[in-house]
Amino acid sequence: MVQALDRPSARSDTHVAAGRRIGVLCWSGAVVVPTVVLALHMALYGRWLVDDAAITFAYARSLAEGAGPVLQPGAVPVEGWSNPTWLGVLVLGAALGLFDHGSWFGVPDIVLFPKAVALFCGAVVAAGFHLITRELVSSATRAAVVAAASGVLVALQPSYAVWLASGLENSLLAAVVVMIAAVLVRAVARGRVTARRTAVTLGLLAAAAALTRPDGLVYLMAYPVLMLLLLRRGGLRGSSLAAVLSFVTFAVPFGCYLAWRRAVFGLWVPNTAVAKSQGLPGITALNRPAELITVAGWLLVVVAVVAVAASLARPGRHVALLVALLVPLGLALAAYAVLRPDWMGLQRFATPVWAVGAVLSVVAADRALRLATVRARTVSAALAVVALVVSATLWWQTARTFRDAPTVRLCGVAVAMGAAPNAFGDILGIPTGRLATPDVGGAAMVSRYAVVDLVGLVDGPIARYHAEDDMAGLRDHVLDRVRPEMIEIHGAWSRVTGLLDDPRTAQRYVPILMEGPDSGYLVRRDLVSDPARLARATEFAEQVVRPRHATVGPRASCGALRPGSTDALTAID
């Protein structure tokens, strides 16, 4: 009798254990496969980091070493970052000895740590996809396949993988936005849209997005917009209370940071926003999201739009869930439209669009195919395959082009604007002073000199000159008040600032090396008492700096990047 009673229990336990194993396998497949694809794609760009990422690196170093929120120890505090949460991750990494301390397996941790964090965030995105598909796809196995397909699709998009690999905060923002989407979908699916836990979670996630990048503030609207779209008669009071709770939850961390910013820097926005003078968008900004169609591949976008429309056209529980995905996607597109075009290229601000758009497209396509007739399914599947092949070809060409000539390389700036002036200073006998340059990330990590940012991102007075488009005032400030010991100027920034055309520059500075009519290194004339030293500096620039800078590989790193060092002139791998 006992045995007879035990048998069902044993079978039940076996079924539960089998179900758990299947669940683990589904989670593993949904997360691991896209993460591996993303890792391989990111590896295509080697050790490349964009120079702007090193601005945050420099602040993280200063904070970790107790120097305060400054670009370099002893500098005036300026909020030259716009990504506090990403800065916090780097400071934590430095405090744990994982960042800016040496190398991992021969790779500088200044390269590997941010890329590892980005890859982890990519895995979080994939996990968020699985949370979403579990609510939209009834079969656990099929949900895992749909999630994995979504993750692989976005991992193959160069605009997504490049900016995750760049050292910037894109990966963290993508993870936060996808989690916002996942919470919205799960809340709708489980009838908990106005639940206290949902409101608090979305408030915290909105704060994380807003503190990851200024345009992340737009995701505060995701929760109230969704409730407004799904509002039913009699639900206004509950929705209003939930929206207020979410906003209060958001306001606590965000408001505290805002108060700290005002107290320390005297501004309501980061100094970077002042320098870039981001204003209200014009009506033409509505056209900006259209450029993403070309980047994704127009045929693939058409297939995705048709799939979403077909899914929404059929009534059912899934419609509200798809709406929950459309809300963060719409906000991501709105943020992309509002922001001014970015000089770094490859649609740096579109990362959340690619992430949410991928899972929405694949989920909608899966549903549309399952509900279609056999003939329609065959035609649609064939069209989808053609669209994927066309886009994959486009993406591969984009990836190869960027791989060979990536946006401003941290290593190249560390060589040209950091190590090179250090070496010139050694030859000329200038142990301290200021260096004016428009590329300050690698310079701040390496230079022994106080960096003067000609772009204004980390310099309050110069930021205001850019905001007011007062280049004459900028030149007066730099040449008459700052009087940097050395100037490095090049390309467009030479033309924008007009520094080389100002007669005071020729009167007060002498070239160490001119690499063109608008590019070169200058040293203050009154500091060069020995012409022989200047000749040696020029010879060093021509024989060492110029060829070294020209041969820095597009995917190279420059070692540990320590202040005052000239190692970057040789430590290139």
Side-chain angles (χ1 to χ4, degrees), residues 11-26:
R11 285 197 297 270
S12 177
D13 290 345
T14 301
H15 290 156
V16 169
R20 287 176 178 172
R21 284 195 296 271
I22 292 174
V24 170
L25 288 174
C26 288

Side-chain angles (χ1 to χ4, degrees), residues 347-505:
Q347 290 69 43
R348 178 166 69 100
F349 296 136
T351 304
V353 175
W354 305 131
V356 182
V359 68
L360 173 63
S361 301
V362 177
V363 164
D366 172 73
R367 184 164 190 84
L369 286 173
R370 283 191 290 118
L371 297 176
T373 63
V374 174
R375 183 176 180 180
R377 190 181 306 167
T378 302
V379 173
S380 299
L383 184 61
V385 169
V386 171
L388 286 169
V389 170
V390 172
S391 289
T393 303
L394 169 67
W395 296 350
W396 174 239
Q397 292 172 348
T398 301
R400 285 199 307 174
T401 300
F402 192 90
R403 179 178 183 267
D404 294 337
T407 298
V408 184
R409 300 159 291 164
L410 167 56
C411 183
V413 172
V415 169
M417 294 75 168
N422 287 345
F424 299 153
D426 290 338
I427 297 171
L428 296 169
I430 307 173
T432 60
R434 284 150 298 196
L435 166 69
T437 179
D439 291 316
V440 300
M445 298 293 289
V446 177
S447 182
R448 70 161 61 98
Y449 304 106
V451 173
V452 178
D453 181 11
L454 294 175
V455 181
L457 296 178
V458 298
D459 191 299
I462 292 180
R464 289 189 288 274
Y465 289 121
H466 278 284
E468 297 166 2
D469 196 23
D470 182 7
M471 294 300 100
L474 183 150
R475 293 192 296 273
D476 291 343
H477 174 76
V478 172
L479 297 173
D480 293 337
R481 290 187 285 278
V482 177
R483 301 181 68 244
E485 278 70 10
M486 280 189 271
I487 296 175
E488 187 284 327
I489 192 73
H490 56 270
W493 291 114
S494 176
R495 296 186 290 274
V496 167
T497 61
L499 273 173
L500 286 182
D501 295 329
D502 193 301
R504 289 171 294 182
T505 301

Side-chain angles (χ1 to χ4, degrees), residues 314-332:
R314 291 179 175 267
R317 167 181 173 273
H318 70 282
V319 173
L321 303 182
L322 291 178
V323 169
L325 277 177
L326 281 167
V327 169
L329 177 60
L331 293 173

Side-chain angles (χ1 to χ4, degrees), residues 91-377:
V91 172
L92 179 61
L96 295 175
L98 302 175
F99 175 70
D100 199 23
H101 281 267
S103 63
W104 301 359
F105 313 110
V107 180
D109 58 10
I110 206 167
V111 172
L112 201 52
F113 179 77
K115 289 182 181 288
V117 173
L119 186 61
F120 173 78
C121 289
V124 172
V125 168
F129 286 175
H130 194 226
L131 291 173
I132 291 168
T133 58
R134 283 301 305 269
E135 303 299 338
L136 279 153
V137 182
S138 56
S139 165
T141 303
R142 192 179 184 94
V145 172
V146 172
S150 305
V152 169
L153 180 64
V154 75
L156 292 174
Q157 168 57 257
S159 175
Y160 180 81
V162 160
W163 294 116
L164 259 65
S166 68
L168 291 169
E169 69 285 343
N170 293 59
S171 61
L172 187 55
L173 183 63
V176 172
V177 173
V178 168
M179 282 302 161
I180 288 174
V183 172
L184 290 174
V185 169
R186 286 165 66 86
V188 172
R190 302 181 184 197
R192 299 175 182 171
V193 175
T194 59
R196 186 175 303 174
R197 182 175 179 179
T198 301
V200 170
T201 301
L202 287 170
L204 291 174
L205 287 171
L211 292 173
T212 298
R213 204 163 64 198
D215 55 294
L217 182 63
V218 72
Y219 298 102
L220 176 62
M221 297 302 299
Y223 190 39
V225 167
L226 178 67
M227 287 193 292
L228 185 63
L229 292 173
L230 302 181
L231 185 63
R232 296 179 179 178
R233 183 176 298 178
L236 181 59
R237 182 175 181 276
S239 296
S240 299
L241 291 174
V244 170
L245 176 59
S246 183
F247 178 78
V248 170
T249 305
F250 161 86
V252 172
F254 187 77
C256 287
Y257 185 83
L258 202 61
W260 177 80
R261 170 190 287 159
R262 182 67 180 175
V264 175
F265 306 111
L267 295 172
W268 290 112
V269 296
N271 188 70
T272 55
V274 177
K276 294 178 181 178
S277 59
Q278 171 74 47
L280 294 176
I283 191 67
T284 56
L286 296 175
N287 293 324
R288 289 207 62 226
E291 69 189 36
L292 300 179
I293 296 174
T294 304
V295 177
W298 69 267
L299 185 57
L300 186 63
V301 172
V302 169
V303 169
V305 169
V306 170
V308 172
S311 297
L312 290 173
R314 291 179 175 267
R317 167 181 173 273
H318 70 282
V319 173
L321 303 182
L322 291 178
V323 169
L325 277 177
L326 281 167
V327 169
L329 177 60
L331 293 173
L333 288 168
Y336 184 82
V338 166
L339 291 170
R340 296 177 64 182
D342 182 55
W343 65 269
M344 293 189 199
L346 215 59
Q347 290 69 43
R348 178 166 69 100
F349 296 136
T351 304
V353 175
W354 305 131
V356 182
V359 68
L360 173 63
S361 301
V362 177
V363 164
D366 172 73
R367 184 164 190 84
L369 286 173
R370 283 191 290 118
L371 297 176
T373 63
V374 174
R375 183 176 180 180
R377 190 181 306 167

